[in-house]
Amino acid sequence: MSNLRIALYQPDIPGNTGTILRLAACLGLQVDIIEPAGFVLSDKNLKRAGMDYLASVAMTRHVNWDRFDAWRLSEGRRLVLASTKAALPYTTFEYLPNDILLFGRESAGVPDDVHDRADHRIIIKMVEGQRSINVAMSAAMIAGEALRQTGI
Ligand SMILES: C[S@@+](CC[C@H](N)C(=O)[O-])C[C@H]1O[C@@H](n2cnc3c(N)ncnc32)[C@H](O)[C@@H]1O
């Protein structure tokens, strides 16, 4: 099990969360869900995407952003936000083995105060004119790079 974590800020599409939970189960990553989510965690679309992998994922639910942020500070973990508004390419950033990779909600990303609280903000560069990548695809790309660098 890696010490890297994926955090989802108020996710609102259950199929994406299920896909990320399956990814985390397969890569040995832990997952933080920052509530409120736009669905219940027993949602059938989440279960369909996560399949039986859900049984082996290490997931923590946090009741709100403030509680999550206080917890991660107490753990001494950096918060690395994936954002379409960032400037630093995700392949240039140097990850630490205990980083938390934070992803925004599908409909609206993260609010400005959460954006500002992150220790670092990284982007997957896209071609001119495109808006954003699916959150689960973004998580797979960035987690893959973080694991490649940290070697765990
Ligand atoms: C569908 S996107 C959110 C789109 C939202 N309208 C916005 O402007 O942020 C969901 C999440 O995926 C991640 N994401 C999507 N594309 C990305 C990119 N090119 N670089 C970094 N993160 C990205 C971010 O964490 C984003 O908050």
Side-chain angles (χ1 to χ4, degrees):
M1 175 76 73
S2 166
N3 205 9
L4 270 174
R5 303 179 79 97
I6 291 177
L8 304 180
Y9 181 85
Q10 299 183 0
D12 46 22
I13 299 181
N16 285 337
T17 296
T19 299
I20 290 170
L21 289 171
R22 177 176 176 179
L23 175 78
C26 290
L27 299 184
L29 306 174
Q30 299 169 69
V31 178
D32 297 291
I33 306 283
I34 303 166
E35 305 263 12
F39 51 87
V40 289
L41 289 176
S42 57
D43 185 283
K44 69 176 188 318
N45 292 317
L46 185 150
K47 286 184 169 169
R48 187 178 298 134
M51 298 170 56
D52 52 322
Y53 299 94
L54 296 177
S56 54
V57 73
M59 180 181 76
T60 304
R61 295 169 64 179
H62 303 265
V63 289
N64 58 36
W65 160 257
D66 287 337
R67 292 279 286 275
F68 164 78
D69 198 37
W71 166 80
R72 70 97 186 171
L73 287 169
S74 75
E75 290 256 312
R77 291 175 183 267
R78 300 190 309 183
L79 194 59
V80 181
L81 172 67
S83 169
T84 55
K85 300 181 187 118
L88 181 62
Y90 80 107
T91 44
T92 305
F93 182 68
E94 292 183 20
Y95 301 85
L96 294 178
N98 69 341
D99 279 343
I100 300 178
L101 310 173
L102 174 64
F103 297 86
R105 69 186 313 181
E106 292 88 339
S107 54
V110 298
D112 290 346
D113 62 315
V114 170
H115 189 271
D116 294 346
R117 287 290 295 169
D119 298 297
H120 301 278
R121 288 161 282 277
I122 57 174
I123 185 168
I124 304 163
K125 292 277 188 191
M126 297 174 286
V127 298
E128 192 82 27
Q130 298 301 356
R131 294 187 305 276
S132 67
I133 299 167
N134 170 276
V135 67
M137 300 287 278
S138 308
M141 292 178 71
I142 292 174
E145 174 63 13
L147 287 167
R148 185 190 70 80
Q149 286 189 24
T150 55
I152 298 167

